[in-house]
């Protein structure tokens, strides 16, 4: 069979040429393995067809020769007495049988082997298998799934049925064992025994499972159970040398333990003796809080806080482009203020960005806070690529849109970072801003720090994958086409440590997103701060003078509506509120953080008075006319917050 490489395979090589292993860190790259396996199946089927044709010829020749030799062997001399038979016998042995030998020796597998050899260099490695196993264990811990649930594939939001066989579960347990993770070794080896006891066929023997399991429980401190499992192993295979040595060792340790004076056992030790093992404590202090938020538990969105969350149309500080087509803005959290914008990217833009980012995807790195060197880490499992505006017009368009929404310049922002999360993809709690104690904290950021984060969700996720803030008790779930925005720095320029956040492991689905970290120029910040102080001092002086004048006019609204007086008095009050106070409001709303003629913002926008004149106007109308007023924002149905005044 001639060697054939499909167009699909060539395209696949084009993508994999930039990628080395670590497939498990990106679902986007793992999809390429699907097409590679499909090509191998096609190649294997072609090999089978050729092999079946060859076997058919050989079988036909064998049937023919069997009939002939049975006849000739019955009367050899009589058969050879005929000169034609004698000639044909010589010819067959000299020509036909060697030809059959060539047919049998013909390597019909050459095409398949050649194709397989080419693709083999791009196959996942032992590192990928270990990473994939760890990913399943991470999902198991984060979402509190037992091995039986995972083995049966009973996960929320799944479209396809997938189960783990006995041999698959044994591979999980062995991976944990090789990594020194005896806690998960025990869980998965027990699952193997459960499925074997249920009668499931497998190549894995019980003796293999008991060998791993007995030593793992011993490492967890359960000497009694280790001894019991070892005896069970020896009952199945009395000649098992390692088990025999372990048995003698365990018996000696148990005897020494009995000779020690009895002491009060802790609850943990008692639980261990009962076969219940606690998950080891690791390096992350907020592990429990982080994982509970990922499960949607422990979210501190109280009714009182929820009443402070609104939705509105956002025009980006009256940006001309957004005055015509404002974005829908929804409060996700009140303090620090976290907002979500809807319909930020179209499906076409999302697909285009994924298309240009995929060939550039590489394992995401973190900066070591001690050395300042970029390195991969188990707490960040994803691949990312960095896009420049020159890469495609859509990148420039998305950047400009982000600038319009936030009011922050993208001239000093980092490149657009596109991330694709792999199996159990996550990024554990971290800060987006650099801390002063970090080595070369600001060197890689230019001359400033990361003022804000603008996170675009480019896919929906069936289960998991939330962005959580452990210190706040907040959880934000991915919604395709939306973007989440928050400030990383306080007005003083110091980091806001409440913004420590994490990307939860993806349980089911494929998570794509892109993030922009908006960076401030430090020199500009200092100058802007000085200007801010001067402008604020002047503004406060003028407001104080105006307030004194209003106070002198004694325009005080009586508590009793009957004391309000004539309609003329009402008119005067409303005039002051509708005209004069509007002027004061507009003056207060003037943002001293924005330099004249410059749309770039160096500091978070200060809190503003939002339409207070209309609130006061409504209140007066209710006081005087006894009518109810309902104000409803029409932009979003997620939160229907009402400002209700009644007589």
């Amino acid at each position: 069979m001639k060697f054939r490489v499909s167009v699909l395979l060539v395209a696949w090589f084009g993508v994999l040429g930039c990628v080395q292993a670590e497939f498990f860190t990106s679902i986007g790259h793992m999809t390429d393995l699907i097409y590679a396996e499909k090509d191998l199946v096609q190649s294997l089927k072609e090999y089978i067809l050729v092999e079946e044709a060859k076997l058919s010829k050989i079988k036909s020749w064998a049937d023919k020769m069997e009939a002939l030799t049975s006849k000739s062997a019955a009367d050899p001399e009589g058969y050879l007495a005929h000169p034609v038979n004698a000639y044909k016998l010589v010819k067959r042995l000299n020509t036909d049988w060697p030809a059959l030998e060539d047919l049998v020796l013909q390597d019909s597998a050459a095409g398949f082997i050649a194709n397989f050899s080419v693709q083999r260099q791009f196959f996942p490695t032992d590192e990928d298998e270990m990473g994939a196993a760890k990913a399943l264990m991470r999902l198991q811990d984060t979402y509190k799934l037992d091995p039986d649930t995972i083995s049966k594939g009973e996960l929320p939001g799944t479209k396809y049925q997938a189960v783990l066989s006995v041999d698959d579960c044994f591979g999980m347990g062995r991976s944990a064992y090789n990594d020194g993770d005896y806690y998960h070794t025990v869980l998965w080896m027990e699952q193997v025994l459960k499925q074997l006891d249920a009668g499931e066929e497998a190549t894995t023997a019980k003796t293999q499972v008991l060998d791993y399991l007995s030593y793992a429980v011993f490492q967890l401190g359960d000497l009694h159970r280790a001894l019991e499992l070892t005896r069970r192993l020896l009952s199945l295979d009395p000649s098992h040398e390692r088990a025999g040595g372990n048995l003698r060792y365990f018996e000696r340790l148990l005897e020494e333990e009995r000779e020690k004076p009895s002491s009060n056992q802790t609850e943990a030790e008692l639980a261990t003796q009962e076969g219940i093992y606690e998950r080891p404590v690791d390096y992350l202090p907020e592990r429990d809080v982080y994982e509970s938020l990922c499960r949607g538990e422990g979210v501190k969105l109280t009714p009182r806080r929820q009443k402070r969350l609104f939705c509105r149309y956002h025009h980006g500080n009256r940006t001309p482009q957004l005055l015509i087509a404002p974005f829908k803005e929804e409060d996700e959290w009140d303090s620090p203020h976290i907002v979500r914008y809807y319909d930020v990217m179209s499906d076409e833009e999302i697909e285009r960005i994924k298309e240009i980012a995929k060939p550039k995807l590489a394992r995401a790195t973190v900066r070591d806070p001690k050395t300042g060197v970029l390195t991969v880490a188990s707490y960040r499992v994803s691949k990312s690529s960095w896009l420049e505006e020159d890469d495609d017009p859509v990148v420039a368009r998305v950047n400009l849109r982000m600038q319009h929404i936030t009011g922050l310049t993208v001239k000093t922002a980092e490149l657009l970072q596109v991330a694709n999360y792999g199996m159990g993809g996550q990024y554990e709690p971290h800060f987006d801003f650099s801390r002063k104690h970090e080595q070369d904290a600001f060197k890689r950021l230019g001359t400033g720090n990361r003022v804000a984060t603008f996170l675009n969700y480019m896919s929906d996720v069936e289960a998991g994958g939330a962005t959580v803030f452990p210190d706040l008790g907040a959880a934000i779930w991915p919604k395709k086409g939306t973007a989440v925005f928050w400030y990383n720095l306080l007005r003083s320029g110091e980091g806001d440590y409440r913004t420590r956040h994490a990307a939860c492991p993806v349980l089911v689905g494929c998570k794509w997103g892109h993030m922009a970290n908006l960076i401030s120029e430090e020199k500009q910040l200092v100058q802007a701060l000085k200007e801010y102080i001067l402008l604020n001092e002047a503004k406060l002086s003028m407001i104080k003078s105006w307030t004194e004048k209003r106070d002198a006019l004694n325009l005080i609204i009586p508590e009793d509506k009957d004391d309000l007086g004539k309609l003329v008095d009402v008119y005067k009050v409303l005039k002051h509120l509708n005209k004069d106070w509007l002027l004061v409001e507009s003056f207060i709303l003037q943002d001293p953080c924005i330099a004249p003629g410059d749309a770039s913002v160096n500091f978070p926008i200060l809190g503003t008075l939002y339409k207070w004149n209309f609130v006061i106007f409504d209140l007066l109308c209710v006081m005087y006319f006894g009518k109810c007023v309902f104000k409803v924002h029409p932009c979003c149905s997620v939160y229907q917050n009402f400002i209700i005044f009644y007589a």
Side-chain angles (χ1 to χ4, degrees):
M1 183 181 78
K2 293 183 179 180
F3 173 63
R4 178 186 65 84
V5 179
S6 66
V7 175
L8 179 62
L9 181 60
V10 173
W12 182 67
F13 286 160
V15 173
L16 293 187
C18 305
V19 182
Q20 293 298 325
E22 296 189 334
F23 283 100
F24 73 96
T25 62
S26 168
I27 294 295
H29 274 161
M30 289 187 71
T31 57
D32 298 323
L33 298 179
I34 296 292
Y35 297 113
E37 189 171 42
K38 182 179 180 181
D39 189 84
L40 281 176
V41 170
Q42 182 61 32
S43 181
L44 185 61
K45 290 174 70 175
E46 292 175 1
Y47 157 72
I48 292 171
L49 290 174
V50 173
E51 195 70 14
E52 285 178 343
K54 184 177 80 172
L55 288 174
S56 179
K57 291 180 181 179
I58 295 172
K59 183 180 179 181
S60 176
W61 171 263
D63 292 342
K64 181 180 178 181
M65 288 301 100
E66 184 180 23
L68 184 63
T69 54
S70 61
K71 181 179 179 180
S72 61
D75 183 13
E77 290 186 0
Y79 178 80
L80 292 175
H82 197 297
V84 173
N85 286 339
Y87 165 74
K88 292 179 68 176
L89 174 62
V90 173
K91 177 181 177 297
R92 282 198 305 274
L93 293 173
N94 185 58
T95 303
D96 296 347
W97 277 100
L100 180 66
E101 178 188 29
D102 292 340
L103 177 62
V104 172
L105 293 177
Q106 181 181 335
D107 188 5
S108 55
F112 170 74
I113 295 301
N115 192 0
F116 183 84
S117 298
V118 171
Q119 296 198 40
R120 183 68 180 86
Q121 60 185 313
F122 300 107
F123 275 15
T125 62
D126 291 341
E127 180 187 357
D128 281 299
E129 185 175 350
M130 175 65 79
K134 283 185 176 181
L136 277 180
M137 296 173 202
R138 185 183 311 119
L139 296 174
Q140 174 184 352
D141 294 336
T142 303
Y143 299 103
K144 290 189 175 181
L145 305 172
D146 57 70
D148 189 58
T149 299
I150 297 176
S151 176
K152 293 177 180 178
E154 297 174 347
L155 303 179
T158 52
K159 294 192 297 184
Y160 303 98
Q161 182 67 25
V163 297
L164 292 177
S165 66
V166 168
D167 298 325
D168 293 332
C169 293
F170 180 73
M172 288 286 295
R174 184 171 54 191
S175 294
Y177 181 89
N178 292 337
D179 196 45
D181 180 0
Y182 301 112
Y183 170 74
H184 287 104
T185 301
V186 171
L187 294 179
W188 283 100
M189 290 303 175
E190 288 176 340
Q191 179 64 25
V192 175
L193 290 178
K194 180 179 179 180
Q195 292 182 215
L196 284 173
D197 292 340
E200 185 176 328
E201 295 184 1
T203 58
T204 302
K206 276 190 178 181
T207 53
Q208 293 176 278
V209 183
L210 292 169
D211 191 15
Y212 280 98
L213 184 56
S214 60
Y215 188 74
V217 297
F218 167 70
Q219 288 293 327
L220 292 178
D222 194 348
L223 182 57
H224 291 81
R225 191 174 180 217
L227 186 62
E228 181 265 323
L229 290 169
T230 304
R231 287 172 176 165
R232 184 178 171 187
L233 168 57
L234 286 170
S235 68
L236 297 174
D237 184 6
S239 62
H240 200 292
E241 293 184 8
R242 183 168 53 253
N246 287 345
L247 179 65
R248 291 187 292 273
Y249 178 63
F250 295 156
E251 287 176 337
R252 186 172 69 253
L253 290 178
L254 189 60
E255 187 64 30
E256 293 174 357
E257 186 178 283
R258 288 171 180 168
E259 293 175 357
K260 293 180 181 179
S262 59
S263 59
N264 295 329
Q265 292 180 308
T266 64
E267 292 184 6
E269 290 173 338
L270 292 173
T272 298
Q273 290 185 6
E274 296 174 1
I276 303 172
Y277 310 104
E278 290 187 1
R279 180 182 170 191
V281 178
D282 66 4
Y283 54 87
L284 190 63
E286 66 261 63
R287 172 72 64 188
D288 291 341
V289 175
Y290 157 55
E291 292 184 348
S292 64
L293 286 172
C294 290
R295 297 190 296 271
E297 303 168 2
V299 177
K300 298 178 181 178
L301 187 59
T302 61
R304 182 178 180 181
R305 168 170 275 129
Q306 190 165 357
K307 288 179 180 178
R308 296 198 292 264
L309 305 181
F310 294 85
C311 50
R312 63 192 70 82
Y313 284 113
H314 175 74
H315 54 69
N317 203 31
R318 304 191 68 81
T319 303
Q321 292 85 345
L322 300 192
L323 285 175
I324 300 174
F327 282 94
K328 289 179 284 187
E329 180 186 77
E330 176 188 349
D331 293 331
E332 288 281 357
W333 206 256
D334 57 343
S335 181
H337 196 202
I338 304 173
V339 297
R340 186 195 295 267
Y341 298 101
Y342 286 81
D343 302 322
V344 175
M345 294 179 64
S346 66
D347 290 345
E348 292 75 16
E349 289 173 326
I350 288 174
E351 292 306 314
R352 180 55 184 158
I353 284 183
K354 288 165 63 175
E355 182 182 349
I356 59 179
K358 191 172 180 180
K360 298 182 179 183
L361 287 175
R363 177 71 186 269
T365 57
V366 296
R367 190 170 295 275
D368 190 313
K370 296 181 179 179
T371 64
V373 177
L374 289 174
T375 182
V376 298
S378 60
Y379 58 83
R380 187 178 189 184
V381 181
S382 66
K383 285 187 176 180
S384 59
S385 60
W386 301 83
L387 303 183
E388 301 184 50
E389 292 191 352
D390 294 339
D391 290 334
D392 195 274
V394 71
V395 178
R397 190 160 64 246
V398 169
N399 275 343
L400 183 61
R401 189 176 304 146
M402 178 176 60
Q403 178 170 296
H404 289 159
I405 292 174
T406 64
L408 301 174
T409 180
V410 296
K411 293 179 181 178
T412 55
E414 293 178 287
L415 297 180
L416 203 67
Q417 181 185 10
V418 179
N420 178 227
Y421 292 82
M423 285 188 61
Q426 64 161 2
Y427 192 178
E428 289 181 356
H430 62 282
F431 299 104
D432 280 350
F433 62 88
S434 292
R435 277 78 70 209
K436 292 180 180 179
H437 67 271
E438 294 180 9
Q439 184 172 336
D440 297 330
F442 302 100
K443 183 177 181 180
R444 62 193 173 93
L445 300 178
T447 56
N449 206 341
R450 288 168 169 166
V451 159
T453 295
F454 193 86
L455 175 60
N456 270 292
Y457 294 115
M458 297 168 58
S459 65
D460 292 314
V461 179
E462 286 80 354
T467 303
V468 299
F469 295 75
D471 291 347
L472 303 177
I476 299 173
W477 303 94
K479 295 179 184 177
K480 185 178 181 181
T482 68
V484 175
F485 175 74
W486 69 85
Y487 285 104
N488 297 309
L489 305 183
L490 301 169
R491 295 177 185 176
S492 63
E494 294 294 326
D496 189 344
Y497 284 82
R498 298 173 300 171
T499 61
R500 181 172 169 85
H501 61 284
C504 293
V506 178
L507 179 57
V508 178
C510 179
K511 183 180 177 183
W512 283 87
H514 77 70
M515 180 178 65
N517 287 305
L518 302 165
I519 300 175
S520 62
E521 294 287 347
E522 195 168 28
K523 292 180 181 178
Q524 294 177 4
L525 279 175
V526 173
Q527 182 61 32
L529 182 60
K530 292 179 179 178
E531 294 176 1
Y532 165 77
I533 294 171
L534 292 174
L535 289 171
N536 252 319
E537 287 177 344
K539 187 175 80 170
L540 288 173
S541 176
M542 295 182 68
I543 294 174
K544 183 179 179 182
S545 174
W546 191 91
T547 304
E548 291 173 351
K549 291 181 180 179
R550 293 302 97 190
D551 189 48
L553 291 176
N554 196 24
L555 293 177
I556 306 299
I557 302 173
E559 294 182 2
D560 189 345
K561 65 179 182 181
D562 294 331
D563 295 335
L564 191 58
K566 301 177 182 179
L567 286 177
V568 175
D569 296 327
V570 176
Y571 167 76
K572 288 181 179 180
V573 172
L574 296 183
K575 176 180 179 298
H576 283 294
L577 289 172
N578 193 43
K579 298 294 183 181
D580 300 343
W581 280 93
L582 275 176
L583 294 175
V584 177
E585 179 201 32
S586 64
F587 187 63
I588 292 175
L589 290 178
Q590 288 179 5
D591 195 343
C593 293
I594 304 178
D598 183 6
S600 64
V601 177
N602 294 307
F603 276 83
I605 299 173
L606 302 177
T608 60
L609 299 176
Y610 182 72
K611 300 301 181 185
W612 279 111
N613 53 300
F614 293 117
V615 174
I616 298 172
F617 183 88
D618 289 335
L619 182 57
L620 281 170
C621 289
V622 170
M623 290 174 60
Y624 193 78
F625 299 108
K627 293 183 178 179
C628 298
V629 178
F630 294 84
K631 283 187 174 294
V632 184
H633 254 294
C635 62
C636 176
S637 61
V638 178
Y639 294 110
Q640 291 292 350
N641 286 296
F642 300 91
I643 303 173
I644 304 176
F645 300 106
Y646 54 90

